[in-house]
Amino acid sequence: MTVWNRSYLEAIGLPVWVSRQAAVAEADSSVNESHADSKSATQSEAKSDTGIGFVTISGNSQSKTCVLVTAEQDLNLIEKNFKVLEQVWLQWQGTELPLSLVQLVEQRDAEADFKPVQSLKNKRLLLSTDQPAELANLTTEHVPSLNWQSAGDKKGWWQLLQSLV
């Protein structure tokens, strides 16, 4: 009997006979799976705590909001577009843009100013990529790409800038 069939019969209130040997084997496999899952989760947390960090590329390093980009993205184009955002903000508000641009990097690829991801814990994190990124229990918000390949990306950034006012 499949698990689905057994669950259905139990849900409608019909008793289902299960042999003891099958129940014991199922319980053992679920314990082993949960142990393996917790072990892999612990290993991935340890890896993300030590292996992934960031390097500040541009903007106010003391800002409470960070735009995160990955190493795979075109950094020259992103920096150029971020500078445009800084200029627009300066003309519009007359102050420095309250964002910093940081690049997620692995520790082995980092430069001297590498900082651990955990130091971003109290900041608002805006992830500017379509690819998922694991960031050690940090909450991120997805924002349009800084590559500005479409008008929708520019419109999304304009809406984000208006929300920062």
Side-chain angles (χ1 to χ4, degrees):
M1 179 179 294
T2 66
V3 174
W4 188 88
N5 288 341
R6 186 176 338 139
S7 298
Y8 174 74
L9 293 174
E10 288 173 353
I12 62 172
L14 292 175
V16 178
W17 179 83
V18 179
S19 73
R20 266 189 214 177
Q21 292 174 343
V24 169
E26 189 175 295
D28 286 345
S29 68
S30 67
V31 167
N32 289 339
E33 287 174 6
S34 66
H35 178 67
D37 289 345
S38 66
K39 185 177 178 182
S40 66
T42 305
Q43 288 174 346
S44 67
E45 281 182 20
K47 180 185 173 194
S48 61
D49 285 348
T50 59
I52 302 285
F54 69 95
V55 176
T56 303
I57 304 297
S58 183
N60 182 0
S61 62
Q62 301 302 318
S63 66
K64 294 181 181 178
T65 306
C66 296
V67 178
L68 306 173
V69 296
T70 59
E72 294 83 32
Q73 293 176 291
D74 183 5
L75 193 57
N76 291 331
L77 181 61
I78 288 173
E79 278 186 279
K80 182 179 131 191
N81 291 340
F82 191 80
K83 297 250 184 252
V84 169
L85 285 178
E86 288 177 323
Q87 291 171 355
V88 167
W89 183 269
L90 183 62
Q91 290 175 359
W92 181 39
Q93 294 295 315
T95 61
E96 186 177 4
L97 180 67
L99 296 175
S100 61
L101 178 65
V102 299
Q103 181 182 23
L104 297 173
V105 293
E106 291 188 26
Q107 191 169 11
R108 66 176 182 267
D109 300 331
E111 301 167 4
D113 56 348
F114 175 84
K115 296 177 189 136
V117 168
Q118 286 302 323
S119 61
L120 296 172
K121 195 164 193 113
N122 297 326
K123 296 188 180 208
R124 180 179 177 197
L125 303 176
L126 308 174
L127 186 60
S128 179
T129 180
D130 297 332
Q131 303 167 354
E134 295 179 25
L135 294 178
N137 302 324
L138 297 176
T139 305
T140 60
E141 301 171 41
H142 284 280
V143 294
S145 171
L146 270 169
N147 288 341
W148 292 351
Q149 296 173 352
S150 70
D153 290 340
K154 290 180 183 178
K155 182 180 177 183
W157 277 102
W158 176 245
Q159 291 170 344
L160 178 70
L161 288 177
Q162 289 175 333
S163 73
L164 292 174
V165 175

